Amino acid sequence: MHKIFFLLILLMTGITGLFASEPPATEVRAVWLTTNYGLDWPRNRTSLEVQKRELIEILDSLKSHNFNTVLFQVRGRGEVLYRSRIEPMMSLIAPAGPGQPPFDPLAFVVEECHKRGLACHAWVVTYPLGNNTHVRSLGAQSVTKKNPSITKQFQKEWFLDPGNPRTDDYLVSIVQEIVTGYDVDGIHFDYIRYPDNRGRFPDDGMYRLYGKGKTRDEWRRDNITRFVTRIYDIVKSVKPWVQVSSAPLGRYRTLAGNGVGWTALETVSQDAGKWMMMGKHDAIYPMMYYKERLFYPFVDDWLNHNNGRIVVPGLGAYQMIELGWSHRDILNQVDYTRDKEVHGQAYFRAENVLSNTKGILRELGSYYRYPAKLPPMTWLSDTIPDSPNDLRAEKNEEGLFELSWEGKGSARVTYNVYRSETDTLSLDRAEKLIAVGLREPQFRYRAEENDKAYYYYITTSDAYRNESVPCVPVFFYHSAIEK
């Protein structure tokens, strides 16, 4: 039965691209922007100005292709991309020029994302600290030197020890620096798990001290869940609108013998479904870098555990290079997620999409041909914000069509712009959207002078992505000749 179902899905998506025809108005469209080894950024290692331009070019491209979320890797293996009192800055960042203040990559990317209506989540590598060579390169600033009791060496790599409660304290201090110091939209955890099962992680001492009658597997799962619970509660106490998410392994658990050998729950003590069911995650971005029977049923399983939270499958764009996938393999998965009304898609990694590997970016143009709003986090707040007031429209001196309105005065408010040929509007119609995530109460664009008249509407979205009803529209006739 399962084989027949999967064959039907493949035939439907592969032949027709069925679901690409009607993009949803609300959908996460994310990329992992990898800074480890400078894979996505920075490519240049000598000029800070070039590094800034590189990052702006990436964000401009994401915006122009109607992506809406950037998962920016702000902590690698024991080093960071923000001004931290706890861990050293990544050596990839070029020095500032004479008389220039030190560069803060996270502050820069948050500001530039928000200018473009993009959400920016701080992507944190949780437990891995790197190999001996890397740890030595950090010198006395490495946590292995400053706080060796919470670190362990395993398989020639160093890790923070999830079984030591003091590890939680250390990671909490890092997350608090980020959340209190930066206007991030989310905290996103990667490698929030034990190392894989090639050997035995050296935690005998901690297990004897804290195991309390549990099996080692139970104890390890509980260690990760303990940290997830604590960090969720702390983030919400500081800024409750900041989305807490993680990227677990793509297969939560073995399903009827399918997926044996590499699952979040059974292999690396990562009970991510439980985190959702407990209400200690706002979103999950499982790394679903597989095809067919190792993809479709596991999407369904994540949905069965989402507890009304956001599920965004991570799609392996890099597999078009590493395993020779076609772009159709990726698009089939986009089709399936839309058919299942999953909350969106994330791509690993940015460069594999933006470089148009095997034509993927071109093909996604039809899927993402309109902007998309982000899903509301109604479990945190379901209050509907007020609509904007006093919407005005004009053609300015530069020949641009300009909308302006009375804003709501909150730094966490954003605005969405709709255009309709009629005086009725459905907020669920993606083709009516022309801009999302605006931070200022104005919008300009070069409208086609096509002798058509449109109604323009603005809505307000609050920090939890709840959307207001539309404001009173303005009516504007786009013509080269004044009428």
Side-chain angles (χ1 to χ4, degrees), residues 27-224:
E27 181 175 61
V28 176
R29 299 168 183 172
V31 296
W32 279 281
L33 205 166
T34 307
T35 59
N36 215 29
Y37 310 113
L39 287 174
D40 290 323
W41 181 85
R43 297 296 182 86
N44 183 285
R45 308 296 167 82
T46 59
S47 169
L48 185 55
E49 292 309 311
V50 172
Q51 290 182 344
K52 290 178 180 179
R53 288 200 299 270
E54 286 177 347
L55 191 49
I56 285 172
E57 288 172 2
I58 291 171
L59 301 181
D60 282 343
S61 184
L62 291 171
K63 173 64 176 176
S64 68
H65 291 95
N66 287 327
F67 285 83
N68 56 24
T69 302
V70 176
L71 305 171
F72 180 75
Q73 189 176 29
V74 72
R75 181 179 190 253
R77 283 154 171 78
E79 54 183 357
V80 297
L81 280 174
Y82 67 95
R83 311 309 301 184
S84 173
R85 299 182 305 276
I86 302 167
E87 293 193 322
M89 178 73 74
M90 286 187 187
S91 60
L92 296 175
I93 300 301
Q100 297 296 314
F103 180 52
D104 189 327
L106 181 55
F108 182 80
V109 74
V110 168
E111 180 180 2
E112 294 297 328
C113 280
H114 289 173
K115 284 180 183 177
R116 292 160 178 78
L118 300 168
C120 184
H121 295 219
W123 163 16
V124 173
V125 172
T126 312
Y127 295 114
L129 297 172
N131 59 24
N132 281 320
T133 300
H134 175 70
V135 166
R136 281 196 300 269
S137 75
L138 302 180
Q141 293 181 296
S142 170
V143 63
T144 62
K145 298 295 184 183
K146 294 193 301 182
N147 205 344
S149 65
I150 64 172
T151 67
K152 296 288 185 182
Q153 191 174 28
F154 172 69
Q155 298 283 347
K156 299 181 181 180
E157 299 277 334
W158 286 91
F159 297 86
L160 292 169
D161 182 2
N164 190 332
R166 291 180 56 241
T167 294
D168 293 6
D169 299 336
Y170 183 77
L171 290 169
V172 163
S173 68
I174 290 172
V175 171
Q176 284 180 317
E177 275 195 326
I178 296 170
V179 174
T180 59
Y182 300 87
D183 189 20
V184 294
D185 299 284
I187 291 288
H188 176 71
F189 293 99
D190 189 14
Y191 287 95
I192 188 169
R193 55 182 170 87
Y194 278 80
D196 65 32
N197 60 348
R198 290 175 296 178
R200 186 176 180 183
F201 190 76
D203 56 4
D204 288 350
M206 287 294 150
Y207 178 52
R208 286 194 298 269
L209 189 59
Y210 296 110
K212 296 179 181 177
K214 300 176 183 177
T215 68
R216 189 165 321 229
D217 285 342
E218 291 170 338
W219 175 70
R220 285 178 173 174
R221 286 195 294 268
D222 288 348
N223 290 335
I224 308 293

Side-chain angles (χ1 to χ4, degrees), residues 289-291 316 319-320 323-327 329-330 333 358:
Y289 308 151
Y290 312 96
K291 293 195 297 183
Q319 299 287 35
M320 292 184 287
L323 294 182
W325 290 11
S326 71
H327 70 255
D329 291 317
I330 301 294
Q333 296 179 348
K358 294 190 177 181

Side-chain angles (χ1 to χ4, degrees), residues 14 18 78 83 98 125 127 133 144 198 239 244 256 313 345 352 367-368 393 395 403 415 426 436 444 458 483:
L18 181 62
R83 311 309 301 184
V125 172
Y127 295 114
T133 300
T144 62
R198 290 175 296 178
K239 292 180 180 177
V244 176
Q345 306 84 36
N352 299 124
Y367 287 80
Y368 299 161
K395 187 175 180 180
L403 293 168
Y415 304 99
S426 170
V436 297
R444 300 183 185 91
I458 311 295
K483 296 187 179 182

Side-chain angles (χ1 to χ4, degrees), residues 61 321 349-361:
S61 184
I321 297 172
R349 52 187 173 81
E351 172 66 16
N352 299 124
V353 174
L354 296 183
S355 64
N356 196 32
T357 303
K358 294 190 177 181
I360 186 64
L361 187 62

